[in-house]
Amino acid sequence: MFDTYTVPFSLPNKMILSPSILRAGCFAACFTGAVAAQTPKAVVSPEPTETGISYGDHRKQQLMYWKPTSRSDQPTPCVFYIHGGGWRGGSQTDANLMAMLPQLLDSGITVISVQYRYIQDALAGHVTPPVKAPMTDCAAALQFVRYHKKRFGIDPDRMIAVGGSAGACTSLWLALHDDMKDPSSDNPIARQSTRLMGAAVIRPQTTLDPKQMREWTPNSWYGGHAFGQFVEKGDKKPVQFARFLEARERLLPWIKAYSPIEHVSPDDPPIYMFYSDEPRIGQKQGDPTHTSNFGVKLQEKLRESGVECELHYKGADVEHSTVLSYLLEHLAVNPD
């Protein structure tokens, strides 16, 4: 029933990611919150129930899923996982997911992990803007899962999107976006809702607007690739970002369409965001692509609309210190 998973990054030598720690619900400080890995360390992880489930025609439009450890005849809650990697790479079984997976399954939660087209696939397929491919793929995957709820054994009304970095951005976009179902479609999958019970995410980008990013965090440099603004040979990051800023007015309709913060409305579900660093709005950050400044600004807008939002960062007084603890409280069928 079990195979091994190698954590794909190295961290300080005294931080060990072991099965017992995983089951205690801890994870790397730079991700979900408490423990990291040696260089690299094999971790026992549950084998997927099924892999390679196609939800579209492209080879990357696939799902894998895990049934809960304790099988039930009743529909189970579901974590809908979207991996990170800048929409240009990553893994359906990344370290964020693998750290949480055993305890999620032990708590009666089904886990579904999405693979999707990357920016490079969008370019090859002439999809514009490029970020449309990964984001709309995840929406289509969600509709596919809902349509096949009996196959996966899930309760479609108890689904929370989870992801890190670009996967977190996509998760927020799904959770905050108006329903993308098409009631008039001849395709029954397209008639399925894309609304979620919520999102619990790790260091997301909450806007893709270079003007907002630069105002919130002056040394921002990320995001141009989402709209086809790529680094040219010899460019440094500030030069590439300056080009993105120059193109902003032309790109603005796309920026607004794919920035999670632009879709906030009073009927949105609760949001949980985990960051490592302390926010400093208007100041340079050590990791401007994953700064908690993103979270502060989204939380402000959500609260203005009356939407529940919990934001974790260093020194914050919050109820849940990890994404895992948030998920277990909101979804667990068999909590410890």
Side-chain angles (χ1 to χ4, degrees), residues 233-260:
K233 187 175 181 179
D235 275 356
K236 295 185 181 296
K237 290 174 182 177
V239 175
Q240 187 271 339
F241 195 80
R243 191 179 296 114
F244 184 23
L245 272 170
E246 289 173 4
R248 178 181 180 272
E249 293 305 313
R250 174 174 58 85
L251 301 173
L252 197 55
W254 287 345
I255 290 169
K256 288 185 175 294
Y258 294 100
S259 291

Side-chain angles (χ1 to χ4, degrees), residues 37-321:
Q38 285 186 328
T39 315
K41 187 173 180 66
V43 177
V44 176
S45 62
E47 183 176 313
T49 303
E50 191 173 355
T51 64
I53 304 167
S54 295
Y55 64 87
D57 295 331
H58 194 277
R59 62 185 177 81
K60 286 184 181 171
Q61 292 172 322
Q62 294 193 351
L63 305 170
M64 66 171 60
Y65 87 106
W66 293 259
K67 288 183 178 179
T69 306
S70 55
R71 305 297 171 86
S72 171
D73 294 333
Q74 299 300 313
T76 66
C78 176
V79 162
F80 186 77
Y81 188 77
I82 305 173
H83 71 78
W87 300 301
R88 291 184 287 195
S91 169
Q92 284 178 275
T93 55
D94 67 14
N96 285 327
L97 178 58
M98 291 297 100
M100 297 185 287
L101 186 60
Q103 196 162 347
L104 291 172
L105 300 180
D106 286 348
S107 299
I109 300 167
T110 294
V111 176
I112 297 175
S113 183
V114 186
Q115 181 60 310
Y116 48 83
R117 288 173 295 170
Y118 296 150
I119 295 291
Q120 54 269 34
D121 302 309
L123 294 173
H126 306 288
V127 178
T128 54
V131 75
K132 178 181 179 180
M135 286 197 170
T136 58
D137 276 7
C138 291
L142 176 58
Q143 291 175 305
F144 178 91
V145 168
R146 277 226 166 91
Y147 181 73
H148 293 284
K149 61 185 179 182
K150 291 184 179 179
R151 173 179 181 176
F152 296 108
I154 63 162
D155 179 348
D157 295 324
R158 298 190 67 200
M159 299 180 70
I160 292 180
V162 180
S165 191
C169 182
T170 302
S171 296
L172 289 176
W173 181 78
L174 277 176
L176 301 176
H177 202 288
D178 289 344
D179 203 331
M180 289 176 272
K181 68 181 178 181
D182 181 2
S184 63
S185 176
D186 293 333
N187 182 348
I189 294 177
R191 296 198 296 266
Q192 300 299 307
S193 174
T194 58
R195 294 299 272 170
L196 289 156
M197 182 181 169
V201 293
I202 306 158
R203 305 193 302 166
Q205 300 84 33
T206 61
T207 184
L208 296 174
D209 184 339
K211 184 173 182 289
Q212 286 181 324
M213 285 190 275
R214 184 56 60 87
E215 290 171 351
W216 301 350
T217 310
N219 60 329
S220 293
W221 59 267
Y222 182 83
H225 67 300
F227 306 104
Q229 303 296 299
F230 298 103
V231 176
E232 296 181 5
K233 187 175 181 179
D235 275 356
K236 295 185 181 296
K237 290 174 182 177
V239 175
Q240 187 271 339
F241 195 80
R243 191 179 296 114
F244 184 23
L245 272 170
E246 289 173 4
R248 178 181 180 272
E249 293 305 313
R250 174 174 58 85
L251 301 173
L252 197 55
W254 287 345
I255 290 169
K256 288 185 175 294
Y258 294 100
S259 291
I261 199 168
E262 298 292 339
H263 295 281
V264 172
S265 58
D267 63 343
D268 289 333
I271 300 296
Y272 176 91
M273 293 181 284
F274 178 95
Y275 292 90
S276 305
D277 65 314
E278 184 179 352
R280 293 182 177 85
I281 301 297
Q283 298 182 37
K284 292 182 178 181
Q285 295 281 272
D287 183 2
T289 302
H290 303 101
T291 171
S292 57
N293 289 352
F294 279 118
V296 168
K297 287 299 183 179
L298 179 59
Q299 185 183 55
E300 287 176 0
K301 189 161 184 179
L302 288 168
R303 287 181 169 177
E304 287 172 2
S305 295
V307 179
E308 179 184 331
C309 178
E310 187 174 352
L311 173 62
H312 176 282
Y313 55 82
K314 183 179 179 181
D317 182 15
V318 293
E319 184 177 352
H320 303 93
S321 60

